[in-house]
Amino acid sequence: MADADVIVIGAGLAGLVTATEAVARGASVIVVEQEGEQSIGGQAFWSLGGLFLVDSPEQRRLGIRDSHDLAWQDWTGSAGFDRADDAWPSRWAEAYVRFAATDKRAWLRRHGISFVPLVGWAERGDGRAEGHGNSVPRFHVAWGAGPGVVRPFVDLARRAQRDGRLRFAWRHRVDALETEAGRVTGVSGARLAADDAARGVATARDVVGHFRFGAGAIVIASGGIGGNLDLVRRAWPARLGTPPATMVRGVPEHVDGRMIGIAQQAGARLIHPDRMWHYVEGLRNWQPIWRDHGIRVLPGPSSMWFDAFGVRLPPPFLPGYDTLGTLRYLMQRNSPYSWFVLDQAIIRKEFALSGSEQNPDLVSRSLSATLRRVTSRTRAPAPVEAFKTHGADFVVAHDIDTLVAGMNRIGKATRLDPRAIEAAIRQRDRELANPFGKDFQIMAIRMARTGWAERLARTARPHPILDPAAGPLIAVRLNILTRKTLGGLETDLDARVLATDGAPIGGLFAVGEAAGFGGGGMHGYRALEGTFLGGCLFSGRVAGRAVA
C-alpha cells in the first residue's frame, strides 16, 4: 500500500522544488532525508545564490546585450557534447537555456526571489568566440544569497506540511529502492539516531530502527559525490592529469554519492561520471564547519597567477576565465596548488568569497552594506580581511623577499626564487606605461573596466603591483576544491530515470546533481556558472510537474 503519491529522496533545493511543485498539483509527498531538519536546503544554503539568466532587465539596465542565440552558442561551445550518450543531456541543455531566456526570472520573482542590480561576469572563457565561456556577464546574485533562493521553497514545504499534504522523514537513510515487476515502488533503509549537530557538521550514523515507504513515484534528489574524496579520485579523468593528493571539500561530507550507486543497483544508467567541476581557487577555511572545509575565491581579473614552481600561468588561464582549463594545466604539470600574487588595492576591489556565510550583506539583503563593501577605498570585505589575517593560505608583506619567504614557508612543492617572482611582476608592470601593450592579462583588465558594474565593484584600476602606495603585497596559496558532479543518472525530458536499455524505469525519477542537473549531464564537460542552482530549480520544476 502506498504511503504517499510521491517520495522525494533528499531535502536540498532540487528536492524541495520537486516536492512543492508536486503538492501544488494535488499530490501527497514524503521527503526522506538522512540528515536532520537543521540541514534543510542542502548545499544550496551554502551557495552565493548565483543564477544564470539571459537578456534580463538587470543586464539591459547595465547596457549588456544578450540573447538566446548568444547564450546557446556559449553553452554548446562550453559543453563540447561529443558522445552518443549526450543525446538527452543536450536536449536538457537546450530546454534549460530556453527557460533561462524566457520565463525563469518571472517564475523566480513569483516566488519572491529578486536580484542584486550588478550582474557578474563569471567564467569568461578560453578566448574563442566558438569556445568555452560567457561572452557577456550573466551571473545574477539573488538577494539573500543561497538561503534567499532556498527560503521560498522551504516556506511552501512547511505550509504543505501543516496542511497534511507533505511529510518530512528526517534522519531516514535510504539503503535500497524497492521494486516490483520492473517498477520502483518504494524505498527502505535505516532510521538514524537523532543528532542536533549544526548544519554542515558531520552527524552520527547510529542505526535505531528501519523503515519502508511506498509510493507511485520515487524521485532521487540526493546530490553528487563532491564530499567523498575517494569517489572523486576514482572518477577523475586522465584528461585532467593526475588527481592531487590533497584537496579541500567545497561541500559537506554527507554529499557522498550513495544514492547514485543504489539507483544503479536498481537498474538505472549512470553516464559521464568522468565529467566533474572542481575549482582551483580553494582556501582552507580558518573556521571550518566540516572536515577539510574549503572556500572558493571569486577573483577579479588582476591577480598574477603562478604555479607551485613560481612560473606565471599563460593565457587563457587567468583569474575568472577557464576553471577546468586551468585545473588541467596545473595537474598536467604536477602543480598540486598555485599562487595569486597581488596587493591591497586588488584584494580590496576584486576578492569575493563564495558562500552565504561569507557574504552577510547579501544574506541580510542590505543594499547599503553591499554598496559600502564594493566602494570601500581601504579595506577588503570583512570576511576577506579575516581570511587575510587568520587564513593559513595568506602571506602579507611589504617587500618581495619577505613575501616569497612566506610563500616558501607554507608551500611544499619547491622553493621559489624571489628574484624570478620579482622579474615576472616587473615585466607585467612595464606594460602599464601606455595604452598599448601585449600582456593579455592587462588587456583583459582594461576590457573589463569598460563595463560600469565591473569598474565599480569588481575590477581594480590598472596599476603597478610593486607600487608601495597600493600595498602591502599579498600572496595566496590556492588549493584544489571539490564541488560538482557534472555527470549523473540518465533521464528523459520528464526526469524519468532510464535503464541500461534506454527505456524509462517505471516510477523512478532523478533531479539536481544526481541527474547531472538534467539528462545525466546537461553541462557537458564545462559549466558557465550560475547553472548549478538553476539546474536544481529547473529539473525539480520539471519533475514535480511530471510526477503529479
Side-chain angles (χ1 to χ4, degrees), residues 248-250 278-280 282-283 294-296 479-483:
V248 292
R249 289 180 170 94
H278 306 308
Y279 292 107
V280 286
L283 304 176
I295 297 291
R296 186 201 171 199
N479 308 278
I480 307 303
L481 178 143
T482 65
R483 186 59 66 84

Side-chain angles (χ1 to χ4, degrees), residues 343-409:
D343 57 29
Q344 182 65 25
I346 293 173
I347 201 171
R348 172 185 63 78
K349 193 81 163 182
E350 298 193 4
F351 260 45
L353 300 175
S354 183
S356 56
E357 77 280 21
Q358 304 296 332
N359 293 275
D361 56 317
L362 298 177
V363 173
S364 65
R365 302 174 184 242
S366 172
L367 179 60
S368 60
T370 301
L371 288 174
R372 283 196 302 272
R373 173 164 68 95
V374 301
T375 58
S376 170
R377 293 181 178 275
T378 54
R379 291 175 59 82
V384 175
E385 289 288 347
F387 263 87
K388 197 179 83 173
T389 302
H390 304 292
D393 294 309
F394 281 74
V395 180
V396 180
H398 290 279
D399 61 81
I400 284 289
D401 290 292
T402 307
L403 185 79
V404 175
M407 296 166 72
N408 285 329
R409 186 172 62 252

Side-chain angles (χ1 to χ4, degrees), residues 35 38-39 46 197-203 251-254 289-291 293:
E35 298 304 308
Q38 65 273 28
S39 292
W46 300 106
R199 179 192 290 270
V201 175
T203 55
V251 294
E253 290 181 77
H254 64 254
I289 297 171
W290 53 82
R291 188 160 59 107
H293 187 176

Side-chain angles (χ1 to χ4, degrees), residues 1 60 65 117 159 161 191 195 210 300 303 360 382 387 420 467:
M1 183 179 214
R60 293 194 293 271
R65 298 180 181 179
R159 191 179 311 154
Q161 183 182 31
R191 288 189 297 110
D195 191 326
H210 296 85
S303 298
F387 263 87
D467 181 356

Side-chain angles (χ1 to χ4, degrees), residues 2-74:
D3 297 283
D5 297 321
V6 180
I7 292 171
V8 176
I9 306 169
L13 179 61
L16 291 172
V17 175
T18 302
T20 54
E21 287 284 332
V23 165
R25 285 153 182 78
S28 60
V29 178
I30 299 174
V31 178
V32 182
E33 171 59 58
Q34 69 176 347
E35 298 304 308
E37 188 170 1
Q38 65 273 28
S39 292
I40 192 167
Q43 297 176 60
F45 176 89
W46 300 106
S47 77
L48 184 63
L51 290 162
F52 175 92
L53 295 173
V54 178
D55 193 27
S56 69
E58 289 79 13
Q59 287 175 301
R60 293 194 293 271
R61 279 195 291 268
L62 294 171
I64 300 166
R65 298 180 181 179
D66 200 4
S67 68
H68 171 273
D69 288 350
L70 182 60
W72 182 238
Q73 173 180 300
D74 289 346

Side-chain angles (χ1 to χ4, degrees), residues 45 64 72 127 133 144 148 157 166 173 241 270 369 420 431 472 494-495 497 518:
F45 176 89
I64 300 166
W72 182 238
L166 183 149
R173 184 188 69 202
L270 174 67
E431 295 285 310
D494 287 324
V497 174

